[in-house]
Amino acid sequence: MHPRLPPTSIISVSFRPHIYVPSRLSSSVLHDATHVLRPLIASRLRSRPKQGLWLRVSANGFSGKATVRRWAKRRVTQALRLEFREKGLSTDGVDLHKGGKGLRGTMEVYAKENIVAASWSDIRSEAGKVVDAVMSMSAGKIKMLISLTVGKVDAGVAVLLTEDKRLIEFPSILLPPSISSGSIVDITVSRNLASEAASQKSFQSLQSSILSTYGQHSPTAPILRCRNATQTSVVLEWDPVSLATAELRSLSLYRNGSKAGNIPKPMEMTSTKMSGLAVDTEYNFQLLLRTSAGVYNSEKLTVRTHKMTDLSGITVTPGIMAPPLRESLSGAIDRIGAKIAENVRIDTTHFVCMEGRGREWEKAVEMNIPVVRPEWVEGCEREGRIVGVRGYYLNADPKLRQVGQGVGFQSPHRQQQPQQQQPPRGEALRQGQTNSTASISNTQLPRRGPQEPAPSPSANNLRASNQPPPSPSPSGGGSPAPPPPEKDTPREAPHPDVSPIQSTASEPAPPEGESVPSPTVSSEKVSEQSLRNLKPTGQENGNTPPKRTDNASMVDVAL
C-alpha cells in the first residue's frame, strides 16, 4: 500500500517523497529470474538518474476498452503537466526558478471511471489540487490522509483493506473502540522532519565512531624469520602479533605446505623450535594468522639445514668450570665458528660444564638441552664435524667416545708435521736390522731328547719382522738350508712406538766368527703365518744361517 493523498472524484494519487521505486510491471519482471526482459529492465533502472519526480499514470482501475483507458491516461497526464508548468516546475518536477530544486520522489496517479464523463475543466481543477497537495507534502506542510476499510477485528490485530484491495494488519488497540467490520477509518500520516534530522545525525555520528575505531586499522600479516639453524633443527621467530580491533582465532605454523601445529599462547610467544629435521635438506615454513577480521598469511621462508661439517649453528652456554678452562672453551668455539650464549635460550644447542648444578643447568635440563663436557667442543674441532654427545655426558664413560682422523680445522703445517718425522720404509728397515735390541718373549719350546745337546745360554735372537724360520735339510742334518732370496718382497719397518720385549727362551748359538743382530718385534700379536715368513738374518749379508741343535721351529713359538 502506497501513501495516498485525499482522493478526488476522478483520480487518486500516491506520492513517496525522496523514494524511487519501479512500476508494478517492472517489479514483476525483476522478480522473475527467467524473464527474457529482466536484464534490460534492470539495466534501465540502474542507468536512470534518481532525481526529480518519477511520474506514472495508470487507467487500469476501471473496466472498459483499451482505447478508452489510453485516452483517459493521456488526459490525466496532460492536465498534470500543464499544472506543473503553471507552478514553475518541469514535467519531471524540477523547480525552474530555484536552482534545480523541486519535487523528489515517486508519484503514481490512478484514473477512475468518472473521468470518461468529466469535462476538461474538471480534470484541470482536480489536477491542480493534486499538484498543490504534492508540493505541500514535499515541503512537510500537509499531512497524508489514508482511508482504510475495516475487514476483521480481533483481540490484538485488525485487518484493514485499501482501495486497491490490499490487506494491512493493524494493531487493534490503536483503533477507536466503537469500530466493527465494514467501518472506514482515516489514518493521517505526516513526516516528522525534526526527529528525522536528529536520528540521521545520531546515525552518522555512530558510523563515524565505528569507522574511526574499527575501520582505520586492520590486523597485519606476521613476518617470519630464521633465528638459527643446525643439522637437525631450526629456530623460527616473528614480531608480536598485531590484531588491531579484531579477535584472535589461531596462529598456525606450516612446513612444506602441511600444518605442523598451532602456536601455544600466540599473544605471548614470538619464537618456536622445529626439531627432528633431515641433514642438509631444504624446508619451507609459513605462519597463518586467523582472526575475526580474516586470514593473514606470512611470506614463505626457505631454510636449509646445515651439513655435518658446518658448525656455525652450534650455540653453547657455558656452565660451572674453572676460568682457564672457560677461556680455552671460548677459543675453541671461536675457531670452529660456533656461538656463545651466556644464558640458556631457545636456540641453545649444548650446555657445557664440569659440574651439574646451578640455575642455568636446571633450565637446560628442563628444556632437554644436552649437557656435555668441554671435551665435546675439542672433539668437534678435531674431527672437523659435529660429533655425538653420548660419550661426552658428565657421567659418561670416555671409552664411548669415537675418535676418528682429525680433519677440518687443523692447519696444513700441523697435518704435514707427523709425515715429515717418519723415515722412508727402506731406511727404517735398515735401522731395524742394526739398532733393534728387542727379542721374542714368552716363547715355549718343545722338550728336548736325552741325546740332544743343550743350546748355548747366549743364544742369538732371530728377526721377527718378515723372515721365515730356518727349515731342516733334506738329509736330516741339523743345519737348515737357506731359502732363495726374495728380492722383490717388500719389507715393513718396525713400529717406532713399540717397546722392546726381552726373550726368555734359549736359542742355538751362532757359529764362531759370525755376529747376528738382534731383531725387533712389534707389540702386536704375531700370527703363525707371519712367523713362517721370517728369514734368517744372515741371508741379507750373504752368510750361512746359524745351525740349530734342536728340532724346534719358529712355528711353535707363541707370543
Side-chain angles (χ1 to χ4, degrees):
M1 191 274 298
H2 303 306
R4 295 181 180 272
L5 297 173
T8 63
S9 58
I10 58 177
I11 59 176
S12 61
V13 181
S14 173
F15 178 61
R16 294 184 178 184
H18 307 281
I19 299 176
Y20 297 93
V21 294
S23 63
R24 293 182 180 180
L25 180 60
S26 300
S27 298
S28 62
V29 172
L30 292 175
H31 285 83
D32 187 1
T34 60
H35 203 286
V36 294
L37 297 178
R38 187 173 183 271
L40 178 62
I41 299 299
S43 177
R44 288 182 178 181
L45 288 176
R46 286 194 299 267
S47 61
R48 185 175 181 180
K50 294 179 173 55
Q51 60 184 5
L53 183 66
W54 286 12
L55 177 61
R56 288 196 293 268
V57 180
S58 175
N60 297 329
F62 62 92
S63 60
K65 294 182 178 182
T67 304
V68 177
R69 291 197 300 269
R70 286 195 295 269
W71 173 78
K73 179 180 177 180
R74 285 196 301 269
R75 295 188 74 184
V76 174
T77 303
Q78 186 177 5
L80 291 174
R81 288 179 177 178
L82 291 175
E83 292 297 327
F84 282 149
R85 214 173 269 277
E86 290 183 0
K87 304 296 182 181
L89 302 175
S90 65
T91 55
D92 295 335
V94 178
D95 193 346
L96 302 177
H97 306 288
K98 295 183 178 180
K101 296 182 180 180
L103 300 178
R104 294 177 59 85
T106 304
M107 180 178 177
E108 296 181 352
V109 181
Y110 303 94
K112 298 181 180 181
E113 293 183 0
N114 298 335
I115 197 174
V116 178
S119 62
W120 176 249
S121 59
D122 293 338
I123 296 174
R124 287 288 305 272
S125 176
E126 294 294 335
K129 294 178 182 179
V130 169
V131 172
D132 292 339
V134 170
M135 295 180 64
S136 300
M137 184 183 296
S138 180
K141 297 179 181 180
I142 188 173
K143 297 180 180 180
M144 186 168 53
L145 180 64
I146 302 176
S147 296
L148 302 171
T149 302
V150 180
K152 182 180 178 181
V153 180
D154 289 335
V157 178
V159 179
L160 305 180
L161 287 79
T162 62
E163 294 180 359
D164 53 354
K165 305 301 184 290
R166 296 179 180 271
L167 300 179
I168 299 176
E169 293 183 353
F170 196 82
S172 302
I173 193 173
L174 299 179
L175 296 176
S178 59
I179 65 171
S180 59
S181 298
S183 301
I184 297 177
V185 295
D186 294 337
I187 299 176
T188 303
V189 181
S190 61
R191 184 177 182 181
N192 192 341
L193 297 178
S195 299
E196 182 179 347
S199 177
Q200 188 71 15
K201 183 178 180 180
S202 176
F203 178 76
Q204 293 296 336
S205 176
L206 178 61
Q207 292 295 319
S208 300
S209 177
I210 294 174
L211 178 62
S212 61
T213 304
Y214 301 100
Q216 299 294 333
H217 304 283
S218 60
T220 58
I223 301 176
L224 190 61
R225 299 183 298 272
C226 178
R227 182 172 179 177
N228 188 30
T230 63
Q231 283 73 14
T232 58
S233 65
V234 172
V235 177
L236 304 175
E237 64 178 1
W238 57 89
D239 296 332
V241 176
S242 176
L243 299 176
T245 57
E247 295 181 0
L248 178 65
R249 296 288 186 262
S250 64
L251 182 62
S252 306
L253 179 64
Y254 283 77
R255 180 181 64 186
N256 292 340
S258 301
K259 184 177 181 181
N262 292 332
I263 304 298
K265 299 180 181 179
M267 299 302 297
E268 301 176 4
M269 296 185 60
T270 58
S271 61
T272 186
K273 184 176 183 179
M274 297 292 297
S275 303
L277 305 180
V279 180
D280 193 18
T281 306
E282 190 175 275
Y283 293 91
N284 293 325
F285 296 96
Q286 188 178 24
L287 277 179
L288 186 66
L289 177 63
R290 291 185 175 89
T291 66
S292 58
V295 180
Y296 300 87
N297 301 330
S298 68
E299 296 292 336
K300 289 186 178 181
L301 177 65
T302 302
V303 181
R304 191 175 190 89
T305 54
H306 291 179
K307 298 180 180 179
M308 296 298 293
T309 57
D310 187 359
L311 306 181
S312 61
I314 298 177
T315 303
V316 175
T317 298
I320 297 177
M321 63 181 69
L325 184 57
R326 187 183 181 94
E327 294 179 0
S328 176
L329 176 65
S330 300
I333 291 175
D334 292 339
R335 287 192 297 271
I336 66 177
K339 299 180 288 293
I340 295 181
E342 296 299 331
N343 300 322
V344 176
R345 307 178 307 193
I346 189 174
D347 58 340
T348 299
T349 58
H350 298 82
F351 186 83
V352 179
C353 66
M354 296 296 296
E355 300 180 15
R357 59 187 178 90
R359 181 179 179 182
E360 297 297 329
W361 172 80
E362 295 177 356
K363 189 175 181 181
V365 173
E366 181 181 356
M367 296 177 62
N368 200 21
I369 297 175
V371 180
V372 296
R373 297 174 59 88
E375 289 83 352
W376 177 82
V377 181
E378 298 176 359
C380 293
E381 181 182 8
R382 179 180 63 254
E383 299 295 330
R385 62 181 181 87
I386 188 170
V387 298
V389 297
R390 181 182 178 185
Y392 295 91
Y393 289 132
L394 296 183
N395 56 351
D397 187 1
K399 297 180 180 180
L400 298 177
R401 303 172 185 174
Q402 298 180 358
V403 180
Q405 296 180 356
V407 295
F409 296 99
Q410 293 184 1
S411 61
H413 177 71
R414 295 178 58 185
Q415 294 181 4
Q416 297 176 3
Q417 185 175 2
Q419 299 179 1
Q420 297 176 358
Q421 294 177 358
Q422 296 180 359
R425 179 174 296 181
E427 183 179 353
L429 181 61
R430 290 192 296 270
Q431 292 178 1
Q433 294 175 359
T434 57
N435 300 330
S436 60
T437 58
S439 62
I440 301 176
S441 63
N442 298 331
T443 57
Q444 297 179 359
L445 300 179
R447 296 181 178 179
R448 306 177 185 273
Q451 298 178 1
E452 296 177 355
S456 175
S458 60
N460 193 18
N461 295 328
L462 298 179
R463 181 183 306 273
S465 59
N466 290 325
Q467 298 180 1
S471 58
S473 61
S475 60
S479 62
E486 300 179 2
K487 298 181 180 180
D488 298 333
T489 302
R491 303 179 183 274
E492 294 183 1
H495 200 282
D497 297 334
V498 176
S499 60
I501 304 176
Q502 298 296 332
S503 174
T504 58
S506 299
E507 297 293 335
E512 296 181 359
E514 295 184 3
S515 62
V516 180
S518 300
T520 301
V521 180
S522 174
S523 62
E524 300 177 355
K525 183 178 180 180
V526 180
S527 62
E528 294 182 0
Q529 184 63 28
S530 63
L531 294 177
R532 291 192 184 99
N533 297 328
L534 294 177
K535 292 183 178 180
T537 310
Q539 181 180 353
E540 297 179 358
N541 299 327
N543 299 328
T544 304
K547 297 182 179 180
R548 298 181 57 89
T549 59
D550 55 358
N551 295 327
S553 62
M554 292 302 296
V555 179
D556 299 328
V557 178
L559 296 182

